[in-house]
Amino acid sequence: MIQQSELILNADNSIYHLNLLPEDIASKFIFVGDPDRVPSVSNFFDSVRVKKQKREFVTHTGMYQGKEITVISTGIGTDNIDIVMNELDALVNIDLETREVKKSLKSLEIIRVGTSGSIQSEIAVDSFLISEYGIGMDGTLNFYDYDNRDDEQSLYLEFADYIFDIEFELSLPYCFGAHTDLVRRFSDFQKGITLTHNGFYAPQGRALRGKLAFPKYIDVMSEFKTKFGKITNFEMETAGIYGLASILGHKAISLNLILANRPKGSFSTNYTAKMDELIQIALDRI
């Protein structure tokens, strides 16, 4: 039995942070970061049966063309992803009454629909990109015991060897790939390797008034090349989603709307329309 201090429930037996009951969710998910983007997704639904919110976690569940889908806001960062992934898994794979893991486990299908910044000049603002692999620079998954697929381990070793000689102390990276079934479903998208960071400014090479410890970070990361491709974009959730999906037995992929091109210093002027387009594609293919 899982102790009360480890599996925390609210007075109504809902899961602690998300405030959800098992019957509130579907098996197909759209993840968004921004709580305000949840209704932008559920507005496409034919009907909505659940609307709940606690903190930054907003959840809507409804029907779209005969499919039941849940859209949930994760907030920003892999610290939040650690909460969302574990609590959603608990809702489907742990009996909340007995606090026992179920004998028959369920696999969720998760599509992240988010924004990102390209570090390659040829990747245009307002284009769509799937993260075929996510490399985490945030450290979250290093607290878990896990096994990598052969391709993930190969990419990890290449990247770890590449950054070993950098005269700058970086967090120990980790590497996970998107689920191969979902990659095939979005085969018409451009593909890349995404770096997931634990911050938006200095960790992604942005300097306002704070001085960067490693000013050449973007240049060094953009030059990394491997048989798996090259690092294409920076963001703050993908590698954590992939890692926990792998550990917990779920399927996940991250779809990125490229808002910024860092080498060119450009930013999207057509954000809303392009995000609606990406949401529609995700809903049609989930």
Side-chain angles (χ1 to χ4, degrees), residues 33-237:
D34 184 355
D36 289 339
R37 196 176 299 150
V38 171
S40 296
V41 176
S42 65
N43 283 342
F44 286 92
F45 290 179
D46 301 313
S47 61
V48 177
R49 69 174 181 86
V50 173
K51 288 186 177 182
K52 287 190 174 182
Q53 178 175 3
K54 186 178 179 184
R55 306 186 189 190
E56 63 266 53
F57 307 115
V58 177
T59 304
H60 291 181
T61 297
M63 297 297 295
Y64 176 79
Q65 297 185 358
K67 299 174 288 189
E68 187 172 56
I69 298 171
T70 295
V71 54
I72 187 169
S73 59
T74 64
I76 297 174
T78 53
D79 51 347
N80 276 12
I81 294 301
D82 184 61
I83 291 171
V84 172
M85 291 292 292
N86 276 286
E87 294 197 359
L88 290 179
D89 180 76
L91 288 172
V92 297
N93 289 321
I94 297 174
D95 186 318
L96 301 187
E97 295 290 341
T98 65
R99 296 178 171 272
E100 299 284 352
V101 176
K102 295 178 180 178
K103 293 181 179 179
S104 179
L105 300 179
K106 181 182 288 187
S107 179
L108 302 174
E109 183 176 304
I110 298 162
I111 298 180
R112 172 191 175 267
V113 178
T115 59
S116 186
S118 167
I119 63 168
Q120 303 291 343
S121 60
E122 70 272 16
I123 298 178
V125 166
D126 290 331
S127 65
F128 302 147
L129 179 143
I130 61 171
S131 303
E132 191 166 17
Y133 295 92
I135 298 177
M137 304 299 291
D138 58 288
T140 303
L141 267 291
N142 294 327
F143 289 89
Y144 287 86
D145 182 19
Y146 62 82
D147 294 316
N148 276 131
R149 300 182 322 215
D150 289 345
D151 56 329
E152 295 167 340
Q153 181 68 8
S154 179
L155 177 54
Y156 166 78
L157 291 173
E158 287 188 59
F159 183 74
D161 183 64
Y162 179 74
I163 67 172
F164 181 78
D165 293 329
I166 295 176
E167 296 179 2
F168 178 63
E169 292 186 4
L170 296 171
S171 300
L172 181 68
Y174 59 89
C175 177
F176 287 91
H179 196 280
T180 53
D181 289 349
L182 297 181
V183 171
R184 285 191 289 268
R185 202 176 298 176
F186 293 90
S187 60
D188 54 323
F189 279 40
Q190 58 187 334
K191 301 178 180 67
I193 300 171
T194 297
L195 279 193
T196 294
H197 295 88
N198 57 348
F200 183 78
Y201 289 97
Q204 295 189 40
R206 288 185 174 91
L208 300 183
R209 291 201 326 111
K211 185 178 179 181
L212 296 177
F214 189 32
K216 295 183 179 180
Y217 183 69
I218 293 177
D219 294 335
V220 170
M221 294 303 160
S222 67
E223 291 168 3
F224 175 70
K225 292 180 176 62
T226 169
K227 64 182 180 181
F228 300 100
K230 53 189 175 182
I231 296 170
T232 50
N233 59 309
F234 290 172
E235 52 76 80
M236 297 177 65
E237 291 90 32

